Amino acid sequence: MKVLVTGNGGREHALAWRASLGESVSQVYVAPGNAGTALEPNVQNVPIAVDDFAGLADFAKSEEVGLTIVGPEAPLVDGFADYFAERGLRCFGPSRKAAQLEGSKAFTKAFLKRWDIPTAASETFAALVDAKAYVRECPMPVVVKADGLAAGKGVIIAQTLAEAEAALESMLSGAAFGDAGRCVVVEEFLRGEEASFIALCDGRTTLPFASSQDHKAAFDGDAGPNTGGMGAYSPAPVVSDAVHARIMDQIMQPTLKGMAAEGSPYLGFLYAGLMIAEDGSPKVIEFNCRFGDPEAQPVMMRLKSDLAALCSAALDGALGSQTLRWDKRAALGVVMASGGYPGDYATGHPITGLDAAETPDCKVFHAGTRLTRESLGPTSGRSPGAKVDSFGDPIPRSGDLGRGTVLTNGGRVLCVTGLGGSVTQACEKAYRGAARIGWHDARYRSDIGYRALAREAGG
Ligand code: AMP
Ligand code: GLY
């Protein structure tokens, strides 16, 4: 089967790489991909944007793609899976209606209440005067969330009433996030440890991946602004067997049941962002309708099963008979970012040390990278089926291509992912790899996995 993965981040590199190793898979395409997917054996980039529904559908038809896996959330919220289904194309991802679990926090909070699924107490408002009256009664800190997609920036944890009021004003006026902020959720601040719980879903059955945990804050000690995620590891020790059972019983299964009962059966990756309280009780912070980034990198590093065959089984409603096989070792990924991220940063810097960092226990997943046009030597003529870079230009076989020709092209650039007998050992492998890689103004956190490391050290 030919597989198409849409997106260009580290998550998509990890999904495409894992899919390419499956027995059921003859070829993986990534649209549009990055330098990492371009250099991966059996993976080919195609220069089509993730929101070009018609272009992607035409490509999937003409190349006889048997399965499309959607990386990012926005196309799913905009109905990508419906568009493919209407054209008889097999796409693993939730319908527009089911993707509301990520697309609208107001929808999700109402859904969770209807089905008695544990989550922070909240109220939803469209009118500023009502929202302001409500926050005046709330204990601080309080959490203010824009209803719609806001690229991970729509959540304000207000320490004071003045901060909460300012957040409400900027969101409800439309100034902060446009229409995504015209309705807000005001929510109780939860304490505990966060975990990411991601599952394959076929509308009825939930098949969970190994647990994981990411670090959203930019700087060591979980300080500084929120980012897309500066590192992640799997398994997350906070998700003990008992906690795992509670998450399945109280959150994942009721969610699948509720969505099906409401006429939007959930098919695709379902990512529950959870807060685990000290007593082990889980609450939903948010749902995402796609895999996590950077959680995908350590989780895919550990997965042994044929990913595309599993997604295909889900499309046939047959996940119930499937199991997942895992590398028993732990994996930990360190995100290397451009200096300045998540604020302004420069791109176009050559990256060195990529080959030196790769070992059997360490893989470098790419996110914001691209290959230089100049690296295409005179021997790299266009030929049918040749790999193309993000400009649509042919890419020489990896043997012809010096690794020095990979350039930075985004905020999060790489995720260096190690495997080891414990999270501590995986962490050492990842940092050893990261230390070999460099570019002008590269930066990364030095404490990824610190909670798991403390648990493993008995602290
Ligand atoms: P969200 O986009 O809803 O996942 O929120 C982004 C981040 O804000 C989460 O990963 C948490 O770290 C934090 N957060 C969101 N809601 C809450 C809450 N109710 N209590 C504590 N932290 C929260
Ligand atoms: N790592 C957080 C996310 O994928 O949303």
Side-chain angles (χ1 to χ4, degrees):
M1 154 171 67
K2 292 182 181 176
V3 175
L4 170 64
V5 175
T6 70
N8 62 355
R11 165 183 52 210
E12 288 79 15
H13 186 183
L15 293 171
W17 167 73
R18 175 48 63 199
S20 75
L21 301 177
E23 275 181 6
S24 68
V25 175
S26 55
Q27 169 78 47
V28 176
Y29 300 105
V30 187
N34 56 38
T37 53
L39 293 167
E40 206 62 72
N42 220 19
V43 179
Q44 183 179 325
N45 285 356
V46 286
I48 310 176
V50 293
D51 58 359
D52 181 358
F53 289 16
L56 290 166
D58 287 348
F59 178 82
K61 260 211 177 109
S62 68
E63 292 299 319
E64 297 179 343
V65 167
L67 172 73
T68 298
I69 301 174
V70 181
E73 63 276 9
L76 292 165
V77 170
D78 288 342
F80 186 91
D82 313 65
Y83 188 90
F84 263 46
E86 283 156 17
R87 284 157 186 77
L89 294 164
R90 282 164 69 82
C91 172
F92 182 71
S95 66
R96 180 204 303 264
K97 270 175 80 185
Q100 284 184 99
L101 280 182
E102 177 163 4
S104 167
K105 293 193 191 286
F107 168 86
T108 299
K109 295 303 289 195
F111 171 83
L112 294 170
K113 272 184 206 171
R114 277 197 298 282
W115 292 90
D116 206 17
I117 297 169
T119 187
S122 71
E123 291 292 334
T124 297
F125 299 97
L128 183 60
V129 48
D130 298 339
K132 277 189 163 177
Y134 180 77
V135 291
R136 273 198 287 276
E137 306 301 319
C138 289
M140 297 294 138
V142 74
V143 185
V144 179
K145 299 185 174 186
D147 173 49
L149 291 186
K153 300 194 177 72
V155 174
I156 304 287
I157 297 177
Q159 301 295 336
T160 64
L161 181 59
E163 276 174 41
E165 289 183 335
L168 290 171
E169 276 164 21
S170 72
M171 286 184 197
L172 286 170
S173 67
F177 305 111
D179 283 343
R182 298 239 182 238
C183 171
V184 296
V185 170
V186 180
E187 159 171 303
E188 164 201 16
F189 179 75
L190 297 174
R191 289 172 207 279
E193 188 170 336
E194 281 184 56
S196 306
F197 198 90
I198 304 166
L200 282 153
C201 302
D202 70 359
R204 283 174 308 166
T205 306
T206 312
L207 189 59
F209 289 101
S211 62
S212 55
Q213 194 171 101
D214 77 337
H215 291 268
K216 292 200 174 65
F219 307 126
D220 283 7
D222 289 331
N226 251 2
T227 70
M230 294 303 288
Y233 54 96
S234 170
V238 67
V239 183
S240 62
D241 289 349
V243 171
H244 189 281
R246 287 171 82 162
I247 294 168
M248 287 299 286
D249 292 349
Q250 297 172 13
I251 293 171
M252 302 306 282
Q253 281 158 356
T255 297
L256 266 268
K257 193 171 154 220
M259 291 299 283
E262 294 187 2
S264 332
Y266 193 96
L267 184 145
F269 297 121
L270 179 61
Y271 169 141
L274 304 172
M275 187 69 84
I276 315 292
E278 209 149 311
D279 65 359
S281 57
K283 283 189 175 161
V284 176
I285 296 178
E286 62 160 351
F287 283 123
N288 294 314
C289 64
R290 36 81 185 165
F291 219 103
D293 188 342
E295 289 91 331
Q297 291 85 320
V299 172
M300 290 299 125
M301 194 85 170
R302 295 185 62 214
L303 184 69
K304 291 275 184 207
S305 309
D306 184 333
L307 179 68
L310 287 162
C311 296
S312 212
L315 278 160
D316 297 330
L319 269 190
S321 57
Q322 302 287 326
T323 51
L324 298 182
R325 286 181 298 115
W326 293 103
D327 190 320
K328 294 268 184 289
R329 291 175 294 173
L332 181 143
V334 175
V335 169
M336 298 185 73
S338 299
Y341 172 79
D344 292 341
Y345 52 82
T347 60
H349 296 304
I351 305 174
T352 57
L354 288 166
D355 282 334
E358 295 250 1
T359 67
D361 294 338
C362 183
K363 179 153 180 73
V364 181
F365 293 105
H366 291 223
T369 65
R370 66 180 177 86
L371 293 169
T372 48
R373 279 142 102 58
E374 294 71 33
S375 70
L376 303 171
T379 55
S380 60
R382 255 180 213 278
S383 61
K387 289 189 173 195
V388 292
D389 70 5
S390 47
F391 298 97
D393 286 333
I395 293 162
R397 290 175 205 292
S398 45
D400 307 338
L401 187 78
R403 290 284 193 150
T405 52
V406 177
L407 301 184
T408 66
N409 194 36
R412 290 192 294 175
V413 175
L414 304 170
C415 181
V416 186
T417 308
L419 267 177
S422 60
V423 179
T424 308
Q425 286 173 15
C427 182
E428 283 166 15
K429 296 265 172 60
Y431 276 107
R432 204 174 303 155
R436 293 183 175 144
I437 298 174
W439 68 86
H440 177 70
D441 217 10
R443 61 162 291 268
Y444 51 94
R445 277 181 61 162
S446 68
D447 65 344
I448 299 303
Y450 72 85
R451 288 190 193 83
L453 268 55
R455 276 173 203 262
E456 287 182 353

